[in-house]
Amino acid sequence: MTSTGIRLHAPAPGWSIDADVVVVGSGVAGLTAALRCEAAGLTTVVVTKARLDDGSTRWAQGGIAAALGEGDTPEQHLDDTLVAGAGLCDEEAVRILVTEGPDAVRRLIATGAHFDESTDGDLELTREGGHHRRRIAHAGGDATGAEISRALVEAVRARGTRTIENALVLDLLTDADGRTAGVTLHVMGEGQHDGVGAVHAPAVVLATGGMGQVFSATTNPAVSTGDGVALALRAGAEVSDLEFVQFHPTVLFLGPEAEGQQPLVSEAVRGEGAHLVDADGVRFMQGQHELAELAPRDIVAKGIMRRMREQDAEHMYLDARHFGAEMWEHRFPTILAACRAHGIDPVTEPVPVAPAAHYASGGVRTDSHGRTTVPGLYACGEVACTGVHGANRLASNSLLEGLVYAERIAADIARAGNTLHARVPQPLPVTERPAYPLLPPEARFTVQRIMSRGAGVLRSATSLSQAADGLHRLHADARDALDENGKTAEPGVDTWEATNLLCVARVLVAAAQRREETRGCHWREDRPERDDTAWRRHIVVRLNPDRSLAEHTTDTTDFPPTLTQAQEQ
């Protein structure tokens, strides 16, 4: 795979540091990879967009899934994951996840994470949608992500790992042979360096999280603007299955005009017995699936949307009044506080909920060691597509995937430790015009509204065509302005983020148009049936040097090997 030669318009780096590994992102995947690389004796630098504990991990409420309970087995966990993935999971990737997962969780506990325990000292496990057993370990009731983030941040700081906070990664650096040689980045505000700089390293681990901000309403924090996927595309990497965006069924409904990050009402609330009801109090998920409210998330989201359409309603309700005040305060204190902050008391009234963008099941295509199609570039966590999630992520598998595959990445880099050596980056191209025109900051909101209208929970050929047209106009306007007078929006965080959002939105819509069926969390109203004969396969996209998209569909459910895999075979 060769680089596209495309870069964001940015000032030349004014400073640089050297390392063996640079990890971009500070969630469970990034910090786990960094700790394991450091433990292997590799000089590691962590670059993160905000503070170390400000990524998506801290917002994870439900927990982390693993076969840790009596009578549970990795094989049962595998079965539930494959069912949720709607025929597109890579079974070997899932087997790695469920077999290595329990010990990975135990190592996380040894690192300092404290999970809730029963009175006899065992882990207190709960159920979530799609799981047939109680296998979700949680912390602080509904603050699992915050506890995992706390433990990992403390471990990184105790180890003295070098970190660069408040830094937006820009582009991948490569050497004359096209191998990874580090990243460029822009440090904001209180960072350790000023302006644009570079970290030179022969191994780069992308752990940048998701791209939920491509939609108007999402559970994702403001930093989730698809930066890692966009960087990988510009670097020539392949992405896969980006059409499979999971919309969480139960997000606190704050009104039809609400935008930005919305409060999540964890699936664990349903796992403990809450019911989905309409305005008349009728439980509408019964009879739609054997697990009713605990069906996989795509089934529940579709059930809610259907009922909303039938009744011309803006939301449904989650009824957990039967929990009582004590259970709410002990088991779900974070959700209780969020609801009350918006004038809703779940102890005495049902909670209004509606689906919102939550998790990207697709991402940068990797092999079982986290290697992408660009030598030296790795990806793990939500930015990656390992094949674990298929067409729909099973609840609470995301933290486990970040944990397991981060460890595998660190092990792979460590195995190459003796051959790691500093690579000299190719000089950045000096041109009169930037290679990638930047969008103005306000374009971010235009992208979000286009995507929410045309590529949200309900999709069709018509809605996707309208979305593609709108995104194309944005792209063409920026390109034409550049061609006419060489001008582009002023380089800066807002313009870089808007440009990244447009990049990932174009890929998502192209893949959604190509997949002419309904599968998992990809719901085509005009193609309501699942078509295994034609579509039980993956859609792979890369960026051409002229900024057009190159798409192809795999011949089978198996991913083609990455370059590194092919060299080994």
Side-chain angles (χ1 to χ4, degrees):
M1 185 64 62
T2 58
S3 173
T4 64
I6 301 172
R7 297 184 181 276
L8 289 174
H9 179 41
W15 53 269
S16 66
I17 57 178
D18 296 325
D20 294 324
V21 185
V22 56
V23 175
V24 187
S26 61
V28 62
L31 294 187
T32 299
L35 285 168
R36 298 295 179 264
C37 285
E38 284 272 352
L42 299 167
T43 304
T44 305
V45 174
V46 175
V47 175
T48 188
K49 195 172 179 180
R51 306 294 294 180
L52 278 182
D53 59 355
D54 277 346
S56 294
T57 291
R58 63 174 287 208
W59 297 101
Q61 294 174 345
I64 186 167
L68 295 162
E70 184 177 352
D72 198 6
T73 65
E75 199 68 26
Q76 294 175 70
H77 189 183
L78 181 141
D79 289 342
D80 286 346
T81 300
L82 295 180
V83 169
L88 277 190
C89 295
D90 181 294
E91 185 167 341
E92 181 56 30
V94 178
R95 193 170 298 281
I96 288 169
L97 178 84
V98 299
T99 55
E100 296 183 11
D103 283 343
V105 173
R106 294 182 185 102
R107 285 189 289 274
L108 179 62
I109 293 171
T111 301
H114 301 294
F115 289 93
D116 296 337
E117 297 179 346
S118 61
T119 53
D120 58 8
D122 294 329
L123 283 177
E124 189 176 72
L125 303 174
T126 190
R127 275 183 71 194
E128 290 186 358
H131 294 272
H132 283 79
R133 283 191 173 273
R134 286 183 169 264
R135 65 168 65 97
I136 316 298
H138 49 83
D142 58 358
T144 309
E147 170 57 18
I148 290 173
S149 180
R150 179 206 62 77
L152 292 173
V153 168
E154 285 189 6
V156 163
R157 286 178 173 155
R159 190 169 188 93
T161 302
R162 187 166 190 174
T163 61
I164 304 176
E165 298 179 275
N166 303 303
L168 172 64
V169 67
L170 299 176
D171 280 303
L172 190 74
L173 294 171
T174 55
D175 65 13
D177 297 321
R179 292 189 59 87
T180 293
V183 293
T184 55
L185 62 153
H186 171 76
V187 181
M188 305 168 276
E190 300 175 357
Q192 298 174 12
H193 303 273
D194 293 324
V196 175
V199 180
H200 296 159
V204 171
V205 180
L206 292 179
T208 51
M211 55 183 190
Q213 290 290 326
V214 79
F215 295 96
S216 295
T218 177
T219 62
N220 287 197
V223 295
S224 298
T225 52
D227 308 318
V229 172
L231 174 150
L233 283 163
R234 290 191 297 272
E238 293 181 347
V239 302
S240 185
D241 299 352
L242 224 59
E243 69 272 29
F244 296 118
V245 176
Q246 188 177 79
F247 285 75
H248 198 288
T250 53
V251 176
L252 186 63
F253 182 75
L254 300 180
E257 303 303 318
E259 294 184 333
Q261 186 178 9
Q262 313 288 302
L264 177 66
V265 182
S266 170
E267 194 150 336
V269 178
R270 281 175 280 140
E272 295 293 351
H275 303 145
L276 280 166
V277 298
D278 61 21
D280 297 322
V282 176
R283 288 182 64 186
F284 55 87
M285 284 304 299
Q286 289 184 312
Q288 293 198 36
H289 191 276
E290 61 170 337
L291 296 176
E293 285 93 349
L294 285 177
R297 287 179 178 174
D298 63 310
I299 303 295
V300 180
K302 291 171 189 174
I304 291 173
M305 294 299 296
R306 286 194 187 101
R307 196 65 156 195
M308 286 167 56
R309 286 195 302 180
E310 290 169 2
Q311 300 187 344
D312 194 24
E314 294 179 325
H315 60 82
M316 290 289 110
Y317 293 91
L318 190 63
D319 192 351
R321 290 175 289 180
H322 53 286
F323 283 4
E326 183 177 352
M327 181 174 175
W328 268 110
E329 291 165 2
H330 168 72
R331 182 67 178 84
F332 301 111
T334 306
I335 299 170
L336 178 63
C339 289
R340 286 177 170 170
H342 291 283
I344 301 158
D345 189 350
V347 176
T348 60
E349 60 185 316
V351 178
V353 294
H358 183 56
Y359 190 89
S361 293
V364 184
R365 186 168 77 78
T366 74
D367 66 11
S368 61
H369 299 283
R371 299 176 292 206
T372 73
T373 53
V374 175
L377 179 65
Y378 296 78
C380 60
E382 191 173 354
V383 71
C385 183
T386 62
V388 160
H389 303 307
N392 183 47
R393 174 180 67 100
L394 180 65
S396 288
N397 267 358
S398 51
L399 291 175
L400 190 70
E401 184 199 31
L403 196 62
V404 168
Y405 281 87
E407 291 189 341
R408 293 180 71 81
I409 285 172
D412 192 72
I413 296 173
R415 277 194 295 270
N418 292 333
T419 61
L420 281 177
H421 57 276
R423 299 184 180 277
V424 179
Q426 284 282 84
L428 296 179
V430 178
T431 61
E432 294 181 1
R433 298 180 180 183
Y436 208 108
L438 299 180
L439 270 66
E442 60 270 20
R444 174 182 185 135
F445 305 105
T446 305
V447 170
Q448 291 171 335
R449 287 162 190 159
I450 288 171
M451 293 298 289
S452 294
R453 286 195 301 266
V457 181
L458 305 179
R459 302 168 178 174
S460 67
T462 300
S463 75
L464 290 167
S465 178
Q466 291 170 345
D469 289 346
L471 297 174
H472 175 73
R473 282 193 298 273
L474 280 177
H475 181 72
D477 288 347
R479 181 197 61 209
D480 293 345
L482 181 66
D483 290 343
E484 288 171 6
N485 52 34
K487 291 184 178 179
T488 185
E490 192 67 24
V493 174
D494 290 343
T495 57
W496 289 322
E497 286 185 334
T499 303
N500 284 339
L501 284 172
L502 176 60
C503 179
V504 297
R506 290 176 64 216
V507 175
L508 193 162
V509 169
Q513 286 183 293
R514 192 178 184 95
R515 183 172 292 281
E516 295 181 336
E517 65 159 355
T518 289
R519 182 184 298 272
C521 51
H522 172 65
W523 187 7
R524 286 279 299 258
E525 292 183 281
D526 57 326
R527 302 280 185 168
E529 302 302 322
R530 172 171 153 176
D531 182 355
D532 280 349
T533 301
W535 289 109
R536 194 172 173 222
R537 55 200 66 193
H538 305 277
I539 295 172
V540 178
V541 184
R542 59 180 174 80
L543 192 63
N544 288 322
D546 65 357
R547 299 191 293 274
S548 65
L549 301 179
E551 312 155 32
H552 74 270
T553 305
T554 60
D555 295 331
T556 68
T557 55
D558 296 330
F559 280 134
T562 63
L563 293 178
T564 311
Q565 283 178 300
Q567 290 165 0
E568 289 179 347
Q569 292 172 354

